[in-house]
Amino acid sequence: MRPHLPEGPPIGYGQCWEDADVLLRALDVRPGQTCLSIASAGDNTLAMLSRSPDRVIAIDRNPSQLACLELRVAAYRALSHSEVLELIGSVPSARRRTLYRRCRERLKPEALAFWDARPGAIDRGIGNAGRFEGYLASFRGRVLPLVHSRDRVAQLFDTRSRGERTGFHDRVWNSWRWRILFRLFFSRLVMSRLGRDPRCFAHVDGGVAGRLLRRARHGVTELDPRKNPYLQWILTGRHTGALPYALRPEHFEAIRGGLDRLECHCQSLEDFLESYGGPPIDRYNLSDIFEYLSQDEYHRLLKRLVAAGRQGSRLVYWNLFVARTRPEGMAARLRPLTELASNLHRIDKCFFYGRLVIEEVA
Ligand SMILES: C[S@@+](CC[C@H](N)C(=O)[O-])C[C@H]1O[C@@H](n2cnc3c(N)ncnc32)[C@H](O)[C@@H]1O
C-alpha cells in the first residue's frame, strides 16, 4: 500500500441511489447507441453496458466518484460474481482487502493511490464508502433501534400481500416514535449536515422530511420490501434477498463483456458538452443533477443536451425535492413521455424521489 494519502473531495455516494431497473426501462438503450451517464458510484453506468450500446460516456465532476466506478470496473474484470458482492458489501466478508489486492493492478495510478489510502473503506465494503451511506448507517445504528426492535425490522421483510403490508405499516410500523424521529433525522438541517452536500439544497423550497415520510409509506406498502435491495440496504446495511440490476448474476457477464466500451471523464457535464465533438448522444442518464442548478442554468444545460443529441434521443432524470421538467419554450424540441414516466415512478424501488422525468428529442 502506498504511504501517500491523496487528498480529494470525499465520496458522496458509495453506490447509486437510483433504481437501475427503472432507469433501463426508461432509457430503452439499444445496441449501437451512444450513451452518457452521470457516474456517481458507477452501478447504473455499468448496468447500461449490459444493453450493448456502442459507447457509454461516464461523467462526474467529483474524482472520488470516478475512483468508485474504476474500482468496480477492476472488480468485474478480476473477481467472480460472488466476490464482487463481497467487495461491495452486499454480503458479509472478512477478506475484502484480499479481494481488493486482486483488483489493484487493474487500477490507474490516481484510483490506486485513492483506494490504497482508504483500507477502512475497503474493509467496510465499497458500497458503504460514501457520506450518504454513512448517514444511512447512523440512521440504522442510532435512530432505528430507538423506534423498532431488530425483530420488528425483520418482520417488515416477511411475505405479505399489498393489503397486509398496508395493515402492518399503519398498525405496527408507523408509530409516533417513527414519525417524530424520522422527521428529525431526515430534516433538511440534519441531512445537509450529515448526508448530502448542503449545495444540493440551494434550490429547495421548504422542508423535506414530511415529503420523505409520505414516500417511505409508499416504499413499504405499495412496493414489496422483500424485492427491494435499496430498502434492504437502508434498514440492514446489506442486501438480504434482492440485488440491484448491476449486481444480479444474470447481468454479470454482459457487463463484464461491455467494459471496453466505457470511458470516464472527470469534469462537469456543462464543460464536457462544451468541447464534445463525438457522434450524437442517444441516451442520457442524468441522475437528479438538475435540482442542484438554478432554473436558468437548468434550461441552458437542457438546450446543450438536446443540441448534442438527435431526433429520438432520450433524457432520463429524477426530481427529489425540486421540480425540474422542460420549459414550455422547449415544447417543440423535447417531448415528455409522461405516462411511461409515471408508471415507472410508481414502481421505483428508490421510493424517495418525487418524480421521474423522461423526455425525448423531437
Ligand atoms: C446528482 S448526485 C445524486 C445522488 C442522489 N440521487 C441524491 O440526490 O442524493 C450524483 C452525482 O452527480 C454528480 N454531479 C452533480 N452535478 C454534476 C454536474 N453538473 N456535472 C457532473 N457531475 C455532476 C455528483 O458529483 C454525484 O456524484
Side-chain angles (χ1 to χ4, degrees):
M1 301 263 168
R2 292 182 173 196
H4 170 60
L5 224 173
E7 292 302 322
I11 301 172
Y13 302 93
Q15 57 183 287
C16 279
W17 290 97
E18 287 131 24
D19 184 344
D21 291 297
V22 162
L23 174 72
L24 290 182
R25 285 176 65 180
L27 282 175
D28 188 23
V29 175
R30 306 281 174 87
Q33 289 184 327
T34 299
C35 304
L36 182 149
S37 177
I38 294 295
S40 199
D43 319 74
N44 290 1
T45 302
L46 295 176
M48 289 163 71
L49 286 175
S50 73
R51 298 295 166 98
S52 309
D54 223 29
R55 184 176 176 201
V56 175
I57 304 163
I59 297 190
D60 208 294
R61 62 185 177 194
N62 179 350
S64 309
Q65 297 300 147
L66 290 170
C68 293
L69 171 55
E70 226 189 283
L71 180 50
R72 277 168 170 76
V73 170
Y76 273 78
R77 289 204 156 111
L79 305 180
S80 68
H81 170 259
S82 60
E83 289 169 338
V84 169
L85 295 189
E86 287 183 58
L87 185 70
I88 300 268
S90 287
V91 294
S93 174
R95 54 165 190 159
R96 293 197 178 104
R97 261 187 233 194
T98 311
L99 297 176
Y100 168 64
R101 255 179 243 124
R102 283 171 44 205
C103 302
R104 285 183 79 246
E105 63 186 30
R106 296 176 191 261
L107 294 176
K108 292 200 205 89
E110 295 81 20
L112 183 65
F114 181 89
W115 286 110
D116 277 1
R118 289 165 176 80
I122 300 284
D123 288 341
R124 287 190 293 277
I126 59 171
N128 268 314
R131 186 171 184 242
F132 188 67
E133 291 79 24
Y135 176 58
L136 295 178
S138 302
F139 174 70
R140 195 164 53 240
R142 297 184 190 173
V143 179
L144 193 58
L146 303 176
V147 183
H148 294 310
S149 66
R150 268 170 183 262
D151 283 352
R152 190 170 293 161
V153 173
Q155 281 166 21
L156 187 76
F157 296 98
D158 285 349
T159 306
R160 286 195 183 87
S161 65
R162 200 173 63 154
E164 289 165 343
R165 289 198 296 272
T166 305
F168 179 78
H169 173 271
D170 293 353
R171 282 194 298 276
V172 181
W173 191 263
N174 191 29
S175 61
W176 63 266
R177 267 180 202 248
W178 166 253
R179 290 193 296 273
I180 288 178
L181 290 175
F182 186 103
R183 278 178 185 275
L184 274 176
F185 195 79
F186 292 108
S187 65
R188 186 176 171 150
L189 183 73
V190 177
M191 205 183 302
S192 57
R193 292 244 166 105
L194 303 177
R196 293 173 90 222
D197 190 320
R199 283 172 297 180
C200 304
F201 291 93
H203 305 284
V204 177
D205 283 330
V208 300
R211 293 186 242 181
L212 288 176
L213 191 59
R214 279 193 294 281
R215 294 302 302 165
R217 182 181 195 277
H218 172 87
V220 301
T221 59
E222 297 299 313
L223 308 178
D224 186 348
R226 284 177 318 136
K227 297 183 184 156
N228 192 336
Y230 305 98
L231 180 69
Q232 288 168 13
W233 194 296
I234 292 170
L235 294 179
T236 72
R238 62 187 184 89
H239 296 130
T240 56
L243 292 167
Y245 183 99
L247 293 180
R248 285 183 214 137
E250 62 270 30
H251 303 136
F252 187 71
E253 286 305 329
I255 292 174
R256 183 187 258 173
L259 294 173
D260 287 339
R261 284 178 269 127
L262 173 67
E263 59 184 84
C264 300
H265 298 262
C266 186
Q267 58 189 146
S268 73
L269 179 57
E270 295 86 330
D271 288 349
F272 174 81
L273 291 172
E274 199 75 62
S275 56
Y276 181 67
I281 297 168
D282 300 289
R283 297 294 185 254
Y284 291 101
N285 163 29
L286 299 165
S287 176
D288 59 355
I289 63 164
F290 294 141
E291 61 184 80
Y292 300 9
L293 305 175
S294 71
Q295 188 99 308
D296 284 348
E297 289 166 332
Y298 160 56
H299 292 169
R300 268 200 300 277
L301 180 51
L302 210 50
K303 282 185 189 140
R304 282 200 208 151
L305 292 164
V306 171
R310 63 168 122 214
Q311 191 180 352
S313 293
R314 266 194 200 183
L315 285 66
V316 175
Y317 52 99
W318 280 264
N319 290 178
L320 182 58
F321 302 125
V322 185
R324 293 278 183 254
T325 54
R326 67 108 175 88
E328 258 326 288
M330 287 183 76
R333 305 296 320 279
L334 266 183
R335 184 173 73 93
L337 305 187
T338 318
E339 197 182 331
L340 178 62
S342 63
N343 287 341
L344 290 175
H345 181 239
R346 248 194 304 280
I347 56 169
D348 193 328
K349 295 187 288 302
C350 285
F351 48 86
F352 26 81
Y353 293 97
R355 189 197 296 220
L356 173 71
V357 183
I358 310 173
E359 289 164 346
E360 199 162 74
V361 178

